[in-house]
Amino acid sequence: MSEEGEKPEEVRTIVVNPEDDPKTKPLYQMDVDPVVGWLVCVRGAYKGEAFTIFPGRNTIGRALGMRIALREEQSVSRDTHAALTFDPDSCCFFLTPGSGTALSYVNGTVLLNPQQLSAYDRVRFGKAEFVFIPLCGEKFDWAEFED
């Protein structure tokens, strides 16, 4: 709060065109992030639902800011329980442990280091279990459809 007689500090918003900044260039030159796979819940609060995986790092947790937000799954850490990354250069998916103390599992084995995922791997965060379904890989790549 400003003291009497002082003007409040001016706040400005600067609009930046992402196309002008090479750091914000889209991975596949599309207007939206294309789907590259899914996590399908087979056990837990979201049983039967699918969560879309996008290019780059997909954070997983209960917080709204997570790319894969599991708000109803109380056994999952709020912030970054784990991260599922799709690397468009190699067309590979990797699961990495989160920043908290909660554990993640791949096919029943604790995840302590980044691990490459394969189709139909079972992944577990807390009590929630998912089947990993890739779209991109050996048989499909969005790069084929670039203009």
Side-chain angles (χ1 to χ4, degrees), residues 13-14 17 24 34 41 45 52-53 60-61 66 76 80 82 92 111 116 119 127 133 145 147:
T13 301
I14 299 171
N17 183 350
T24 60
C41 187
T52 303
I53 302 167
I60 301 164
M66 299 291 104
V76 170
T80 315
C92 292
L111 178 71
Q116 187 170 345
K127 294 178 181 175
I133 308 291
F145 299 95
D147 294 330

Side-chain angles (χ1 to χ4, degrees), residues 85-107:
T85 302
F86 174 72
D87 173 24
D89 290 342
S90 66
C91 239
C92 292
F93 295 83
F94 300 91
L95 188 65
T96 55
S99 54
T101 58
L103 297 175
S104 299
Y105 296 83
V106 177
N107 297 322

Side-chain angles (χ1 to χ4, degrees), residues 38-39 53 56-61 68 70 76 80-87 90 92-99 102-118 120-126 128-132:
W38 300 270
L39 281 178
I53 302 167
R57 190 167 190 260
N58 296 265
T59 52
I60 301 164
I68 298 174
L70 305 173
V76 170
T80 315
H81 189 106
L84 202 165
T85 302
F86 174 72
D87 173 24
S90 66
C92 292
F93 295 83
F94 300 91
L95 188 65
T96 55
S99 54
L103 297 175
S104 299
Y105 296 83
V106 177
N107 297 322
T109 303
V110 69
L111 178 71
L112 299 174
N113 296 300
Q115 182 174 332
Q116 187 170 345
L117 293 179
S118 298
Y120 301 98
D121 277 345
R122 296 273 182 117
V123 295
R124 184 163 51 93
F125 315 113
E129 187 174 345
F130 299 82
V131 174
F132 167 66

Side-chain angles (χ1 to χ4, degrees), residues 48-77:
E49 294 185 46
F51 294 85
T52 303
I53 302 167
F54 297 100
R57 190 167 190 260
N58 296 265
T59 52
I60 301 164
R62 286 194 344 263
L64 281 177
M66 299 291 104
R67 199 133 200 209
I68 298 174
L70 305 173
R71 297 200 32 88
E72 301 299 318
E73 193 60 63
Q74 295 302 309
S75 63
V76 170
S77 297

